[in-house]
């Protein structure tokens, strides 16, 4: 498939979890604004310092910061054949900016009801060495590495509620934007991880 793919969905929908298989089957690099921002926070850059408070509160980081990050990322050579956007765009201004700098061929919306989101987020654990995402109940980590797992600062119930309201208020309107463009496909994210992956693989074959 030529062009870029957007992986879309509420917090905890499984975007990061599904990204690995998509990268493997399409060869497109994953561009996750959440991961880029967390790296900037960890490095203590000016951008990271500016983004930190918004992220910990569960609010969206201002569009100007995000659009600048993406513009810079797309200048790298590995982005020439299209990328897999994960967690971007999240607002209409971000989608408008993206339209000017990339060709989007498919938007995959992972649909998960709000009731399932809090349990997913609160139980998520990350392996800082590999970046692998686990869940205490749905995807337990091997016992050997359990001692090194960490929990994201914004993975608490209060921040999740704010993230969900940002999603419903600012991000979900993008679904009609991409549906009108004829490039939106939805998958049922409220089933086992492998079943979601199968639905996504089928979409990739069709498009
Ligand atoms: P970001 O890192 O993008 O967070 P998010 O969108 O809230 O998404 P998550 O990473 O929480 O969830 P995910 O869909 O990747 O789910 P995962 O696969 O991990 O953004 C963080 C913050 O950065 C934002 O709040 C904002 O402040 C800022 N930001 C980032 N991008 C921005 C932008 N474009 N504009 C403005 N601000 C921006 O899965 C979650 C858990 O569920 C895991 O434990 C996993 O094991 C489990 N799981 C996955 N699939 C299943 C399944 N099918 N069944 C059961 N469990 C499952």
């Amino acid at each position: 498939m030529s062009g870029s793919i957007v992986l879309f969905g509420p917090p905890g929908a499984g975007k990061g979890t599904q990204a690995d298989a998509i990268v493997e089957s399409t060869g497109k690099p994953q561009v996750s604004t959440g991961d880029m921002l967390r790296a900037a926070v960890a490095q203590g850059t000016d951008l990271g310092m500016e983004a930190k408070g918004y992220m910990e509160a569960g609010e969206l980081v201002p569009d100007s910061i995000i659009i600048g990050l993406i513009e810079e990322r797309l200048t790298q050579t590995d982005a020439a054949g299209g990328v897999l956007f994960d967690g971007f765009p999240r607002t209409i201004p971000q989608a408008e900016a993206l339209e000017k700098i990339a060709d989007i061929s498919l938007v995959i919306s992972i649909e998960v009801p709000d009731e399932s989101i809090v349990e997913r987020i609160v139980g998520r654990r990350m392996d800082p060495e590999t970046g692998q995402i686990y869940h205490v109940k749905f995807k337990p980590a091997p016992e050997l590495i359990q001692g090194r797992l960490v929990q994201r600062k914004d993975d608490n119930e209060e921040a999740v509620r704010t993230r969900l309201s940002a999603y419903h208020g600012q991000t979900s309107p993008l679904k009609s934007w991409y549906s009108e463009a004829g490039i939106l496909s939805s998958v049922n994210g409220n089933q086992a991880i492998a079943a979601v992956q199968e639905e996504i693989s089928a979409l990739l074959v069709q498009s």
Side-chain angles (χ1 to χ4, degrees):
M1 182 197 306
S2 66
S4 292
I5 301 170
V6 171
L7 206 44
F8 188 88
K15 302 182 293 294
T17 298
Q18 298 297 334
D20 288 351
I22 304 174
V23 166
E24 201 174 311
S25 70
T26 63
K28 296 180 192 298
Q30 178 187 6
V31 173
S32 157
T33 38
D35 287 349
M36 290 160 85
L37 290 168
R38 277 184 289 280
V41 171
Q43 286 158 14
T45 63
D46 289 348
L47 187 150
M49 292 302 98
E50 202 177 338
K52 192 169 186 266
Y54 294 102
M55 294 174 76
E56 286 179 6
E59 291 163 12
L60 292 183
V61 172
D63 287 333
S64 55
I65 296 182
I66 300 290
I67 292 166
L69 260 183
I70 290 290
E71 281 173 346
E72 194 186 319
R73 178 64 183 84
L74 293 188
T75 63
Q76 292 175 21
T77 47
D78 67 341
V83 305
L84 173 66
F85 290 108
D86 165 2
F88 175 87
R90 260 171 150 107
T91 62
I92 299 279
Q94 289 180 20
E96 284 170 343
L98 181 60
E99 207 171 48
K100 293 185 192 131
I101 52 174
D103 167 33
I104 306 297
S105 21
L106 177 65
V107 177
I108 304 171
S109 174
I110 306 181
E111 303 287 332
V112 179
D114 286 7
E115 316 74 274
S116 304
I117 295 295
V118 176
E119 185 182 17
R120 284 196 189 184
I121 293 281
V122 172
R124 172 167 50 193
R125 299 291 182 274
M126 317 281 287
D127 179 355
E129 283 186 24
T130 62
Q132 263 300 321
I133 306 164
Y134 295 99
H135 191 280
V136 290
K137 180 169 156 194
F138 302 122
K139 193 183 174 188
E143 225 175 289
L144 205 65
I145 64 160
Q146 279 185 2
R148 69 177 193 225
L149 299 183
V150 294
Q151 193 169 15
R152 269 169 50 177
K153 277 211 169 128
D154 58 345
D155 277 356
N156 59 73
E157 207 166 324
E158 197 189 342
V160 176
R161 304 253 174 238
T162 311
R163 284 156 66 190
L164 271 173
S165 95
Y167 173 75
H168 290 298
Q170 292 164 272
T171 307
S172 67
L174 287 176
K175 278 206 274 183
S176 19
W177 165 285
Y178 285 121
S179 174
E180 278 161 28
I183 52 172
L184 181 79
S185 291
S186 299
V187 297
N188 173 13
N190 203 23
Q191 53 183 337
I193 292 173
V196 182
Q197 191 180 323
E198 267 180 42
E199 275 197 39
I200 293 177
S201 302
L203 272 183
L204 293 173
V205 170
Q206 285 161 25
S207 48

